[in-house]
Structure formats: structure tokens, C-alpha cells
Amino acid sequence: MSGELLPDRTVSELTSRRRSGIDPEALATAAAIIAEVDRDGVAALESLTEHFDERRGLPLFLTHDDLVVSLKSLPSPDRARLERIADRIERFAKAQL
């Protein structure tokens, strides 16, 4: 490509024109959540899940058996579609390596 389309610029020139992509309030909220999970572990995850999600009364983690039951309960076309998607994702990830 010509230099006119993609002129050479230093990193400082490129970054000086950028605005922060993250709202400071959102960043502060995320930092508080991370600190809470770091401090309280699974109890914090359960509390935050109840606060931000509608998973009331549902388990935070699923066992292997839970996943097998769910997989078997899927209609065949849905399961086949998910398996094709998973295969594509896996091939893409391997290609990136």
C-alpha cells in the first residue's frame, strides 16, 4: 500500500490521539468486584451472581454429570449444530497456535 494510505507513525503519535476506551466508573466497579472475589472467593461469586444475574437458586458450578444430562436432553439437530460449532472453534484455535 502507498504511504499516503498508511503513513508511518510512531507509537506515541498513534496513542496520543486515542481516548481511553474504558469508562473510569466502569473500571472502578470492575476493580471492586475483582477485589471482592479475591478476598471472599466462591462466596463472593455466589453473591455477585445473585446481584447481577437471574440465577437465583441455581448452582454456580455444574458437575460433569449435570453437563452430560443436559447434552443428552438436547434435540438431535441442536446437538449436531453445537458439535459443528465446537469443532470449528477448536480448529480455529489450533490454527492460531
Side-chain angles (χ1 to χ4, degrees):
M1 300 209 141
S2 78
E4 292 175 8
L5 292 176
L6 296 172
D8 291 333
R9 293 190 180 129
T10 65
V11 172
S12 61
E13 287 175 318
L14 293 170
T15 57
S16 68
R17 300 171 81 193
R18 286 188 193 168
R19 291 181 278 159
S20 175
I22 302 174
D23 176 60
E25 185 177 336
L27 191 57
T29 300
I33 289 170
I34 291 168
E36 183 178 346
V37 171
D38 190 42
R39 183 184 63 244
D40 299 333
V42 173
L45 290 174
E46 290 171 342
S47 173
L48 290 163
T49 299
E50 291 291 322
H51 177 75
F52 288 112
D53 199 9
E54 296 179 6
R55 297 182 48 83
R56 296 186 183 6
L58 296 173
L60 186 58
F61 302 102
L62 297 174
T63 66
H64 181 267
D65 292 341
D66 293 333
L67 296 173
V68 169
V69 168
S70 294
L71 183 62
K72 287 182 179 181
S73 71
L74 286 174
S76 292
D78 292 343
R79 180 176 175 166
R81 186 177 309 111
L82 288 173
E83 288 173 347
R84 282 193 310 273
I85 292 168
D87 181 58
R88 288 179 189 155
I89 293 169
E90 183 178 4
R91 283 187 284 134
F92 180 78
K94 286 180 180 177
Q96 284 185 315
L97 293 176

Coordinates of all heavy atoms in Angstrom, one line a residue:
M1 N 0.8 -1.2 0.0 CA 0.0 0.0 0.0 C 0.9 1.2 0.0 O 2.0 1.2 0.5 CB -0.9 0.0 1.2 CG -1.9 -1.1 1.3 SD -3.3 -0.6 2.2 CE -4.5 -1.5 1.3
S2 N 0.3 2.3 -0.5 CA 1.1 3.5 -0.6 C 1.2 4.2 0.8 O 0.4 4.0 1.7 CB 0.5 4.5 -1.6 OG -0.6 5.1 -1.0
G3 N 2.3 5.0 0.9 CA 2.5 5.7 2.2 C 1.4 6.7 2.5 O 1.1 7.1 3.6
E4 N 0.6 7.1 1.4 CA -0.5 8.1 1.6 C -1.6 7.4 2.4 O -2.3 8.0 3.2 CB -0.9 8.6 0.3 CG 0.1 9.5 -0.4 CD -0.3 9.9 -1.7 OE1 -1.5 9.7 -2.1 OE2 0.5 10.5 -2.4
L5 N -1.9 6.1 2.1 CA -3.0 5.5 2.8 C -2.6 5.1 4.2 O -3.4 5.2 5.1 CB -3.4 4.2 2.0 CG -4.0 4.4 0.6 CD1 -4.3 3.1 -0.1 CD2 -5.3 5.2 0.8
L6 N -1.4 4.6 4.4 CA -1.0 4.2 5.7 C 0.3 4.9 6.0 O 1.4 4.3 6.0 CB -0.8 2.7 5.7 CG -2.0 1.8 5.5 CD1 -1.7 0.4 5.4 CD2 -3.0 2.0 6.7
P7 N 0.3 6.1 6.4 CA 1.5 6.8 6.7 C 2.2 6.3 7.9 O 1.6 5.8 8.9 CB 1.1 8.3 7.0 CG -0.4 8.2 7.3 CD -0.9 7.0 6.6
D8 N 3.5 6.3 8.0 CA 4.3 5.8 9.1 C 4.1 6.8 10.3 O 4.2 8.0 10.1 CB 5.8 5.8 8.8 CG 6.1 4.7 7.8 OD1 5.3 3.7 7.7 OD2 7.1 4.8 7.0
R9 N 3.8 6.2 11.4 CA 3.6 7.0 12.6 C 4.2 6.2 13.8 O 4.3 5.0 13.8 CB 2.1 7.2 12.9 CG 1.4 8.0 11.9 CD 0.0 8.4 12.4 NE -0.6 9.2 11.4 CZ -1.8 9.0 10.9 NH1 -2.5 7.9 11.3 NH2 -2.3 9.8 10.0
T10 N 4.7 7.0 14.7 CA 5.3 6.4 15.9 C 4.2 5.9 16.8 O 3.0 6.4 16.7 CB 6.2 7.4 16.7 OG1 5.3 8.4 17.2 CG2 7.3 7.9 15.8
V11 N 4.5 5.1 17.8 CA 3.5 4.6 18.7 C 2.9 5.8 19.5 O 1.7 5.8 19.7 CB 4.1 3.5 19.7 CG1 3.2 3.2 20.8 CG2 4.5 2.3 18.9
S12 N 3.8 6.7 19.9 CA 3.3 7.8 20.7 C 2.3 8.7 19.9 O 1.3 9.2 20.4 CB 4.4 8.7 21.2 OG 5.2 9.2 20.2
E13 N 2.6 8.8 18.6 CA 1.6 9.6 17.7 C 0.3 8.9 17.7 O -0.8 9.5 17.7 CB 2.2 9.7 16.3 CG 3.3 10.7 16.2 CD 3.9 10.7 14.8 OE1 4.1 9.7 14.2 OE2 4.2 11.8 14.3
L14 N 0.3 7.6 17.6 CA -0.9 6.8 17.5 C -1.7 6.8 18.8 O -2.9 7.0 18.8 CB -0.6 5.4 17.0 CG -0.1 5.2 15.6 CD1 0.3 3.7 15.4 CD2 -1.2 5.6 14.6
T15 N -1.0 6.6 19.9 CA -1.7 6.6 21.1 C -2.1 7.9 21.7 O -3.0 8.0 22.5 CB -0.9 5.8 22.2 OG1 0.4 6.5 22.3 CG2 -0.7 4.4 21.8
S16 N -1.5 9.0 21.3 CA -1.8 10.3 21.8 C -3.2 10.7 21.3 O -3.8 11.6 21.9 CB -0.8 11.3 21.4 OG -0.8 11.5 20.0
R17 N -3.6 10.2 20.2 CA -4.9 10.5 19.6 C -6.1 9.7 20.2 O -7.2 10.0 20.0 CB -4.9 10.3 18.1 CG -3.8 11.2 17.5 CD -3.6 10.8 16.0 NE -4.6 11.5 15.2 CZ -4.8 11.2 14.0 NH1 -4.2 10.3 13.4 NH2 -5.8 11.9 13.3
R18 N -5.7 8.7 20.9 CA -6.7 7.8 21.5 C -7.3 8.4 22.7 O -6.6 9.0 23.5 CB -6.2 6.4 21.8 CG -5.9 5.6 20.6 CD -5.5 4.2 21.1 NE -5.0 3.4 20.1 CZ -4.3 2.3 20.2 NH1 -4.2 1.8 21.4 NH2 -3.8 1.6 19.2
R19 N -8.6 8.1 22.9 CA -9.2 8.4 24.2 C -9.3 7.0 24.9 O -9.2 6.0 24.3 CB -10.6 8.9 24.0 CG -10.6 10.3 23.4 CD -12.0 10.9 23.3 NE -12.5 10.3 22.1 CZ -13.7 10.2 21.8 NH1 -14.7 10.6 22.6 NH2 -14.1 9.7 20.6
S20 N -9.4 7.1 26.2 CA -9.5 5.9 27.0 C -10.7 5.1 26.6 O -11.8 5.7 26.5 CB -9.5 6.2 28.5 OG -9.7 5.0 29.2
G21 N -10.6 3.9 26.3 CA -11.8 3.1 25.8 C -12.6 2.6 27.0 O -13.7 2.0 26.8
I22 N -12.1 2.8 28.2 CA -12.9 2.3 29.4 C -13.3 3.4 30.2 O -12.5 4.3 30.6 CB -12.0 1.3 30.2 CG1 -11.5 0.1 29.3 CG2 -12.7 0.8 31.4 CD1 -10.6 -0.8 30.0
D23 N -14.6 3.5 30.5 CA -15.1 4.5 31.4 C -14.5 4.3 32.8 O -14.5 3.2 33.3 CB -16.6 4.3 31.5 CG -17.3 5.3 32.4 OD1 -17.1 6.5 32.2 OD2 -17.9 4.8 33.4
P24 N -14.0 5.4 33.4 CA -13.4 5.3 34.7 C -14.3 4.7 35.8 O -13.8 4.0 36.6 CB -13.0 6.8 35.1 CG -12.9 7.5 33.8 CD -13.9 6.8 32.9
E25 N -15.6 5.0 35.7 CA -16.5 4.5 36.7 C -16.7 3.0 36.5 O -16.7 2.2 37.5 CB -17.9 5.1 36.5 CG -18.9 4.7 37.6 CD -20.2 5.4 37.4 OE1 -20.3 6.5 36.9 OE2 -21.2 4.9 37.9
A26 N -16.7 2.5 35.3 CA -16.8 1.1 35.0 C -15.5 0.4 35.5 O -15.6 -0.7 36.0 CB -17.0 0.8 33.5
L27 N -14.4 1.0 35.2 CA -13.1 0.4 35.7 C -13.0 0.3 37.2 O -12.6 -0.7 37.7 CB -11.9 1.3 35.2 CG -10.6 0.7 35.3 CD1 -10.4 -0.6 34.6 CD2 -9.5 1.7 34.7
A28 N -13.5 1.3 37.9 CA -13.6 1.3 39.4 C -14.5 0.2 39.9 O -14.2 -0.5 40.8 CB -14.0 2.7 39.9
T29 N -15.6 0.0 39.2 CA -16.6 -1.0 39.6 C -16.0 -2.4 39.4 O -16.1 -3.3 40.2 CB -17.9 -0.9 38.8 OG1 -18.5 0.4 39.0 CG2 -18.9 -2.0 39.1
A30 N -15.3 -2.6 38.2 CA -14.7 -3.9 38.0 C -13.6 -4.1 39.0 O -13.4 -5.3 39.4 CB -14.1 -3.9 36.5
A31 N -12.8 -3.1 39.3 CA -11.7 -3.3 40.3 C -12.3 -3.7 41.7 O -11.7 -4.6 42.3 CB -10.9 -2.0 40.4
A32 N -13.4 -3.2 42.0 CA -14.1 -3.5 43.3 C -14.5 -5.0 43.3 O -14.4 -5.7 44.3 CB -15.2 -2.6 43.6
I33 N -15.1 -5.4 42.2 CA -15.6 -6.8 42.0 C -14.4 -7.7 42.1 O -14.5 -8.7 42.8 CB -16.3 -6.9 40.7 CG1 -17.7 -6.2 40.8 CG2 -16.5 -8.4 40.4 CD1 -18.4 -6.1 39.4
I34 N -13.3 -7.4 41.4 CA -12.1 -8.3 41.5 C -11.6 -8.4 42.9 O -11.3 -9.5 43.4 CB -11.1 -7.8 40.5 CG1 -11.6 -8.0 39.0 CG2 -9.7 -8.5 40.7 CD1 -10.8 -7.3 38.0
A35 N -11.5 -7.3 43.6 CA -11.0 -7.3 45.0 C -11.9 -8.1 45.9 O -11.5 -8.9 46.7 CB -11.0 -5.9 45.5
E36 N -13.3 -8.0 45.7 CA -14.2 -8.8 46.5 C -14.0 -10.3 46.2 O -14.0 -11.1 47.2 CB -15.6 -8.3 46.1 CG -16.7 -9.0 47.0 CD -18.1 -8.5 46.7 OE1 -18.3 -7.5 46.0 OE2 -19.0 -9.2 47.1
V37 N -13.9 -10.7 45.0 CA -13.7 -12.1 44.7 C -12.4 -12.6 45.2 O -12.3 -13.7 45.7 CB -13.9 -12.3 43.1 CG1 -13.5 -13.8 42.8 CG2 -15.3 -12.0 42.7
D38 N -11.4 -11.8 45.1 CA -10.0 -12.1 45.6 C -10.1 -12.3 47.1 O -9.5 -13.3 47.6 CB -9.0 -11.0 45.2 CG -7.6 -11.4 45.5 OD1 -7.2 -12.6 45.2 OD2 -6.9 -10.6 46.0
R39 N -10.9 -11.5 47.8 CA -10.9 -11.6 49.2 C -11.8 -12.7 49.7 O -11.5 -13.4 50.6 CB -11.5 -10.2 49.7 CG -11.5 -10.1 51.3 CD -12.1 -8.8 51.7 NE -13.5 -8.7 51.3 CZ -14.0 -7.7 50.4 NH1 -13.2 -6.8 50.0 NH2 -15.2 -7.7 50.1
D40 N -13.0 -12.9 49.0 CA -14.0 -13.8 49.6 C -14.3 -15.0 48.8 O -15.1 -15.9 49.1 CB -15.4 -13.0 49.7 CG -15.3 -11.9 50.7 OD1 -14.4 -11.9 51.6 OD2 -16.0 -10.9 50.6
G41 N -13.6 -15.2 47.6 CA -13.7 -16.4 46.8 C -15.1 -16.7 46.3 O -15.8 -15.9 45.8
V42 N -15.4 -18.0 46.5 CA -16.7 -18.5 46.0 C -17.9 -17.8 46.6 O -18.9 -17.6 45.9 CB -16.8 -20.1 46.2 CG1 -18.1 -20.6 45.8 CG2 -15.7 -20.8 45.3
A43 N -17.8 -17.5 47.8 CA -18.9 -16.8 48.5 C -19.2 -15.4 47.7 O -20.4 -15.1 47.5 CB -18.6 -16.5 49.9
A44 N -18.1 -14.8 47.3 CA -18.3 -13.5 46.6 C -18.9 -13.8 45.2 O -19.8 -13.1 44.7 CB -17.0 -12.8 46.4
L45 N -18.5 -14.9 44.5 CA -19.0 -15.2 43.2 C -20.5 -15.5 43.4 O -21.3 -15.1 42.5 CB -18.3 -16.4 42.7 CG -16.9 -16.2 42.2 CD1 -16.3 -17.6 41.8 CD2 -16.8 -15.2 41.1
E46 N -20.9 -16.2 44.4 CA -22.3 -16.5 44.6 C -23.1 -15.2 44.8 O -24.2 -15.0 44.2 CB -22.5 -17.5 45.7 CG -22.0 -18.9 45.4 CD -22.0 -19.8 46.6 OE1 -22.0 -19.4 47.7 OE2 -21.9 -21.1 46.4
S47 N -22.6 -14.4 45.7 CA -23.3 -13.1 46.0 C -23.4 -12.2 44.7 O -24.5 -11.7 44.4 CB -22.5 -12.4 47.1 OG -23.1 -11.1 47.3
L48 N -22.3 -12.1 44.0 CA -22.3 -11.3 42.8 C -23.2 -11.9 41.7 O -23.9 -11.1 41.0 CB -20.9 -11.1 42.2 CG -20.0 -10.3 43.1 CD1 -18.5 -10.5 42.8 CD2 -20.4 -8.8 43.0
T49 N -23.3 -13.2 41.6 CA -24.1 -13.8 40.6 C -25.6 -13.5 41.0 O -26.4 -13.2 40.1 CB -23.9 -15.3 40.6 OG1 -22.6 -15.6 40.2 CG2 -24.8 -16.0 39.6
E50 N -25.9 -13.6 42.2 CA -27.3 -13.2 42.6 C -27.6 -11.8 42.3 O -28.7 -11.4 41.9 CB -27.5 -13.5 44.1 CG -27.5 -15.0 44.5 CD -28.7 -15.7 44.0 OE1 -29.8 -15.2 44.0 OE2 -28.5 -16.9 43.6
H51 N -26.6 -10.9 42.5 CA -26.8 -9.5 42.3 C -27.0 -9.1 40.8 O -27.9 -8.4 40.4 CB -25.7 -8.7 42.9 CG -25.7 -7.2 42.7 ND1 -26.6 -6.4 43.4 CD2 -25.1 -6.4 41.9 CE1 -26.5 -5.2 43.0 NE2 -25.5 -5.1 42.1
F52 N -26.1 -9.7 40.0 CA -26.1 -9.3 38.6 C -26.8 -10.2 37.6 O -27.1 -9.8 36.5 CB -24.6 -9.2 38.1 CG -23.8 -8.1 38.6 CD1 -22.8 -8.3 39.5 CD2 -24.1 -6.8 38.3 CE1 -22.1 -7.2 40.1 CE2 -23.4 -5.7 38.8 CZ -22.4 -5.9 39.7
D53 N -27.2 -11.3 38.1 CA -27.8 -12.3 37.2 C -29.2 -12.8 37.8 O -29.5 -12.4 38.9 CB -26.9 -13.5 37.1 CG -27.2 -14.4 35.9 OD1 -28.0 -14.0 35.0 OD2 -26.5 -15.5 35.8
E54 N -29.9 -13.5 37.0 CA -31.2 -14.1 37.4 C -31.1 -15.5 37.7 O -32.0 -16.3 37.4 CB -32.2 -13.8 36.4 CG -32.4 -12.3 36.2 CD -33.5 -12.0 35.1 OE1 -34.1 -12.9 34.5 OE2 -33.6 -10.8 34.8
R55 N -30.0 -16.0 38.3 CA -29.7 -17.4 38.5 C -30.1 -17.8 40.0 O -29.6 -18.7 40.5 CB -28.3 -17.7 38.3 CG -27.8 -17.5 36.9 CD -26.4 -17.9 36.7 NE -26.1 -19.2 37.3 CZ -26.2 -20.4 36.7 NH1 -26.8 -20.4 35.5 NH2 -25.9 -21.5 37.3
R56 N -31.0 -17.1 40.5 CA -31.4 -17.3 41.9 C -31.8 -18.8 42.2 O -32.6 -19.3 41.5 CB -32.6 -16.4 42.3 CG -32.1 -14.9 42.3 CD -33.2 -14.0 42.7 NE -32.9 -12.6 42.7 CZ -32.0 -11.9 42.2 NH1 -31.0 -12.5 41.6 NH2 -31.9 -10.6 42.2
G57 N -31.1 -19.4 43.1 CA -31.4 -20.7 43.5 C -30.7 -21.8 42.6 O -30.8 -23.0 42.9
L58 N -30.1 -21.4 41.5 CA -29.4 -22.3 40.7 C -27.9 -22.5 41.1 O -27.4 -21.5 41.7 CB -29.5 -21.8 39.2 CG -30.9 -21.8 38.6 CD1 -30.8 -21.1 37.2 CD2 -31.5 -23.2 38.5
P59 N -27.3 -23.6 40.8 CA -25.9 -23.8 41.2 C -25.0 -22.9 40.5 O -25.3 -22.6 39.3 CB -25.7 -25.3 40.9 CG -26.7 -25.7 39.9 CD -27.9 -24.8 40.2
L60 N -23.9 -22.5 41.1 CA -22.9 -21.6 40.5 C -22.0 -22.5 39.5 O -21.6 -22.0 38.5 CB -22.1 -21.0 41.6 CG -21.1 -20.0 41.1 CD1 -21.7 -18.8 40.4 CD2 -20.3 -19.4 42.3
F61 N -21.8 -23.7 39.9 CA -21.0 -24.6 39.1 C -21.8 -25.8 38.8 O -22.6 -26.3 39.6 CB -19.7 -25.0 39.9 CG -18.9 -23.9 40.4 CD1 -18.9 -23.4 41.7 CD2 -18.0 -23.3 39.5 CE1 -18.1 -22.4 42.1 CE2 -17.2 -22.2 39.9 CZ -17.3 -21.8 41.2
L62 N -21.6 -26.4 37.6 CA -22.2 -27.6 37.1 C -21.2 -28.7 37.2 O -20.1 -28.6 36.8 CB -22.8 -27.4 35.7 CG -23.8 -26.4 35.6 CD1 -24.2 -26.2 34.1 CD2 -25.1 -26.7 36.4
T63 N -21.7 -29.9 37.6 CA -20.9 -31.1 37.6 C -20.8 -31.7 36.2 O -21.6 -31.4 35.3 CB -21.4 -32.1 38.6 OG1 -22.7 -32.6 38.1 CG2 -21.6 -31.6 40.0
H64 N -19.9 -32.6 36.0 CA -19.8 -33.3 34.7 C -21.1 -34.0 34.5 O -21.6 -34.0 33.3 CB -18.6 -34.3 34.8 CG -18.4 -35.1 33.5 ND1 -19.0 -36.3 33.3 CD2 -17.8 -34.8 32.4 CE1 -18.7 -36.7 32.1 NE2 -18.0 -35.8 31.5
D65 N -21.7 -34.7 35.5 CA -23.0 -35.4 35.3 C -24.1 -34.4 34.8 O -24.9 -34.8 34.0 CB -23.4 -36.1 36.6 CG -22.5 -37.3 36.9 OD1 -21.7 -37.8 36.0 OD2 -22.4 -37.7 38.1
D66 N -24.1 -33.2 35.4 CA -25.1 -32.2 35.0 C -25.0 -31.9 33.5 O -26.0 -31.8 32.8 CB -24.9 -30.9 35.8 CG -25.3 -31.1 37.3 OD1 -26.1 -31.9 37.7 OD2 -24.7 -30.3 38.1
L67 N -23.7 -31.8 33.1 CA -23.5 -31.4 31.7 C -23.9 -32.6 30.8 O -24.4 -32.3 29.7 CB -22.0 -31.0 31.5 CG -21.6 -29.8 32.2 CD1 -20.1 -29.6 32.1 CD2 -22.3 -28.5 31.7
V68 N -23.6 -33.8 31.2 CA -23.9 -34.9 30.4 C -25.5 -35.0 30.2 O -26.0 -35.3 29.1 CB -23.4 -36.2 31.0 CG1 -23.9 -37.5 30.3 CG2 -21.8 -36.2 30.8
V69 N -26.2 -34.8 31.3 CA -27.6 -34.9 31.3 C -28.2 -33.8 30.4 O -29.1 -34.0 29.5 CB -28.2 -34.8 32.7 CG1 -29.7 -34.5 32.7 CG2 -27.9 -36.0 33.5
S70 N -27.6 -32.6 30.5 CA -28.1 -31.5 29.6 C -27.8 -31.8 28.1 O -28.6 -31.6 27.3 CB -27.4 -30.2 30.0 OG -27.8 -29.8 31.3
L71 N -26.6 -32.3 27.8 CA -26.3 -32.7 26.5 C -27.2 -33.7 25.9 O -27.7 -33.6 24.8 CB -24.8 -33.2 26.4 CG -24.3 -33.5 25.0 CD1 -24.3 -32.2 24.1 CD2 -22.9 -34.0 25.1
K72 N -27.5 -34.7 26.7 CA -28.4 -35.8 26.2 C -29.9 -35.3 26.0 O -30.6 -35.9 25.2 CB -28.4 -37.0 27.2 CG -27.1 -37.8 27.1 CD -27.1 -38.9 28.1 CE -25.9 -39.7 28.0 NZ -25.9 -40.9 28.9
S73 N -30.2 -34.2 26.7 CA -31.6 -33.7 26.6 C -31.8 -32.8 25.4 O -32.9 -32.5 25.1 CB -32.0 -33.0 27.9 OG -31.3 -31.8 28.0
L74 N -30.7 -32.4 24.7 CA -30.8 -31.6 23.5 C -31.5 -32.3 22.4 O -31.1 -33.5 22.1 CB -29.5 -31.1 23.1 CG -28.8 -30.0 24.0 CD1 -27.4 -29.7 23.4 CD2 -29.6 -28.7 23.9
P75 N -32.3 -31.7 21.6 CA -32.8 -32.3 20.4 C -31.6 -32.6 19.4 O -30.6 -31.8 19.4 CB -33.7 -31.3 19.8 CG -34.1 -30.4 20.9 CD -32.9 -30.4 21.9
S76 N -31.6 -33.6 18.7 CA -30.5 -34.0 17.8 C -30.0 -32.9 16.9 O -28.8 -32.7 16.8 CB -30.9 -35.2 17.0 OG -31.1 -36.4 17.8
P77 N -30.9 -32.1 16.2 CA -30.4 -31.1 15.4 C -29.6 -30.0 16.1 O -28.6 -29.5 15.7 CB -31.6 -30.5 14.7 CG -32.7 -31.5 14.9 CD -32.3 -32.3 16.1
D78 N -30.0 -29.7 17.3 CA -29.3 -28.7 18.2 C -28.0 -29.2 18.6 O -27.0 -28.5 18.6 CB -30.2 -28.3 19.4 CG -31.4 -27.5 19.0 OD1 -31.5 -27.0 17.9 OD2 -32.3 -27.4 19.9
R79 N -28.0 -30.5 19.0 CA -26.7 -31.1 19.5 C -25.7 -31.1 18.3 O -24.5 -30.8 18.5 CB -26.9 -32.4 20.0 CG -25.7 -33.1 20.5 CD -25.9 -34.4 21.2 NE -24.6 -35.0 21.5 CZ -24.5 -36.0 22.3 NH1 -25.5 -36.6 22.9 NH2 -23.3 -36.5 22.5
A80 N -26.2 -31.5 17.1 CA -25.3 -31.6 16.0 C -24.8 -30.2 15.6 O -23.6 -30.1 15.3 CB -26.0 -32.2 14.8
R81 N -25.6 -29.2 15.7 CA -25.2 -27.8 15.4 C -24.1 -27.4 16.4 O -23.1 -26.8 16.0 CB -26.4 -26.9 15.4 CG -26.0 -25.5 15.0 CD -27.3 -24.6 15.0 NE -28.4 -25.1 14.2 CZ -29.6 -25.5 14.8 NH1 -29.8 -25.4 16.1 NH2 -30.5 -26.0 14.0
L82 N -24.3 -27.6 17.7 CA -23.3 -27.3 18.7 C -22.0 -28.0 18.5 O -20.9 -27.4 18.7 CB -23.9 -27.5 20.1 CG -25.0 -26.5 20.5 CD1 -25.6 -27.0 21.9 CD2 -24.5 -25.1 20.6
E83 N -22.1 -29.3 18.1 CA -20.9 -30.0 17.9 C -20.1 -29.5 16.7 O -18.9 -29.4 16.7 CB -21.2 -31.5 17.8 CG -21.6 -32.1 19.1 CD -22.1 -33.6 19.0 OE1 -22.3 -34.1 17.9 OE2 -22.2 -34.2 20.1
R84 N -20.8 -29.1 15.6 CA -20.1 -28.5 14.5 C -19.5 -27.2 14.9 O -18.3 -26.9 14.5 CB -21.1 -28.2 13.3 CG -21.5 -29.5 12.6 CD -22.2 -29.1 11.2 NE -23.3 -28.2 11.4 CZ -24.6 -28.6 11.7 NH1 -24.9 -29.8 11.9 NH2 -25.5 -27.7 11.8
I85 N -20.2 -26.4 15.7 CA -19.6 -25.1 16.1 C -18.4 -25.3 17.0 O -17.3 -24.7 16.8 CB -20.7 -24.3 16.9 CG1 -21.8 -23.8 15.9 CG2 -20.1 -23.1 17.6 CD1 -23.0 -23.3 16.6
A86 N -18.5 -26.3 17.9 CA -17.3 -26.6 18.8 C -16.1 -27.0 17.9 O -15.0 -26.6 18.2 CB -17.7 -27.6 19.8
D87 N -16.4 -27.8 16.9 CA -15.3 -28.3 16.0 C -14.6 -27.1 15.3 O -13.4 -27.1 15.2 CB -15.8 -29.3 15.0 CG -14.7 -29.9 14.1 OD1 -13.8 -30.4 14.7 OD2 -14.9 -29.7 12.9
R88 N -15.4 -26.2 14.8 CA -14.9 -25.0 14.1 C -14.1 -24.2 15.1 O -13.0 -23.7 14.7 CB -16.0 -24.2 13.5 CG -16.7 -24.8 12.4 CD -17.8 -23.9 11.9 NE -18.6 -24.6 10.9 CZ -19.8 -24.3 10.6 NH1 -20.5 -23.4 11.2 NH2 -20.5 -25.0 9.7
I89 N -14.5 -24.0 16.3 CA -13.8 -23.2 17.2 C -12.5 -23.9 17.6 O -11.4 -23.2 17.6 CB -14.6 -23.0 18.5 CG1 -15.8 -22.1 18.2 CG2 -13.8 -22.4 19.6 CD1 -16.9 -22.0 19.3
E90 N -12.5 -25.2 17.8 CA -11.3 -25.9 18.1 C -10.3 -25.8 16.9 O -9.1 -25.6 17.2 CB -11.6 -27.4 18.4 CG -10.4 -28.2 18.8 CD -10.7 -29.6 19.2 OE1 -11.9 -30.0 19.0 OE2 -9.8 -30.3 19.6
R91 N -10.7 -26.0 15.7 CA -9.8 -25.9 14.5 C -9.2 -24.5 14.4 O -8.1 -24.4 14.1 CB -10.6 -26.4 13.3 CG -10.7 -27.9 13.2 CD -11.3 -28.3 11.8 NE -12.7 -28.0 11.8 CZ -13.4 -27.4 10.8 NH1 -12.7 -27.1 9.7 NH2 -14.7 -27.2 10.8
F92 N -10.1 -23.5 14.6 CA -9.6 -22.1 14.6 C -8.5 -21.9 15.6 O -7.5 -21.3 15.3 CB -10.8 -21.2 14.7 CG -10.4 -19.7 14.6 CD1 -10.1 -19.1 13.4 CD2 -10.2 -19.0 15.8 CE1 -9.7 -17.8 13.4 CE2 -9.8 -17.6 15.8 CZ -9.6 -17.0 14.5
A93 N -8.8 -22.3 16.8 CA -7.8 -22.1 17.9 C -6.5 -22.8 17.7 O -5.4 -22.3 17.9 CB -8.4 -22.6 19.3
K94 N -6.6 -24.1 17.1 CA -5.3 -24.8 16.8 C -4.6 -24.1 15.7 O -3.3 -24.0 15.7 CB -5.7 -26.2 16.4 CG -6.0 -27.1 17.6 CD -6.4 -28.5 17.2 CE -6.7 -29.3 18.4 NZ -7.1 -30.7 18.0
A95 N -5.3 -23.5 14.7 CA -4.6 -22.8 13.6 C -3.9 -21.6 14.1 O -2.9 -21.2 13.6 CB -5.7 -22.5 12.5
Q96 N -4.5 -20.9 15.1 CA -3.8 -19.7 15.7 C -2.5 -20.1 16.4 O -1.6 -19.2 16.4 CB -4.8 -19.0 16.7 CG -5.9 -18.3 16.0 CD -6.7 -17.5 17.0 OE1 -7.1 -18.0 18.1 NE2 -7.0 -16.3 16.7
L97 N -2.5 -21.3 17.0 CA -1.2 -21.7 17.7 C -0.1 -21.8 16.7 O 1.0 -21.6 16.9 CB -1.4 -23.0 18.4 CG -2.4 -22.9 19.6 CD1 -2.5 -24.3 20.2 CD2 -1.8 -21.9 20.7

